[in-house]
Amino acid sequence: QVQLVESGGGLVQAGGSLRLSCAASGVRLSIGTVGWYRQAPGKQRESVASITSGGSTNYADSVKGRFTISRDNAKNTVYLQMNSLKPEDTAVYQCNVRTLYGGHWGQGTRVTVSS
């Protein structure tokens, strides 16, 4: 059974940093594309960042230069380092993994950035 567990969310002041983790069991994150998504209140879910099996990364324009996605194959975990956080980054962040065998979502972790 595939399980993705996000952690690392919380309350932070604008300008601060957080590191989110997406720990997986039942699937090797290194064989698929892992993405971080977020959904703010009243808004649609949007893609934030992704990393492919080959290590290529992609970022939404709104987070480029501030967020970094990375993967630790030994820990089977993907991270999202978020720096220079802004109030508009407030959202529930979820990770998703897509492989040839299907896609899976985590339950999400809430990030709140105060001004």
Side-chain angles (χ1 to χ4, degrees):
Q1 183 179 356
V2 175
Q3 189 173 17
L4 302 180
V5 179
E6 299 97 333
S7 61
L11 173 63
V12 64
Q13 288 188 333
S17 298
L18 285 174
R19 187 178 78 158
L20 307 184
S21 300
C22 173
S25 59
V27 64
R28 284 189 293 134
L29 296 181
S30 59
I31 70 169
T33 295
V34 179
W36 280 100
Y37 295 77
R38 67 185 181 187
Q39 187 167 19
K43 294 186 177 181
Q44 289 189 330
R45 183 164 59 194
E46 62 175 348
S47 175
V48 175
S50 63
I51 183 167
T52 69
S53 57
S56 297
T57 59
N58 192 53
Y59 298 93
D61 288 342
S62 59
V63 307
K64 279 181 181 176
R66 300 188 297 124
F67 290 11
T68 303
I69 189 170
S70 62
R71 185 177 65 220
D72 185 328
N73 292 338
K75 295 183 177 180
N76 204 24
T77 299
V78 167
Y79 302 98
L80 185 68
Q81 178 67 43
M82 307 187 296
N83 299 328
S84 302
L85 283 162
K86 304 175 181 180
E88 51 264 44
D89 294 319
T90 295
V92 174
Y93 286 72
Q94 289 178 282
C95 65
N96 170 275
V97 61
R98 297 195 317 271
T99 72
L100 292 177
Y101 309 103
H104 304 276
W105 289 92
Q107 83 291 346
T109 185
R110 186 175 300 276
V111 172
T112 303
V113 184
S114 63
S115 56

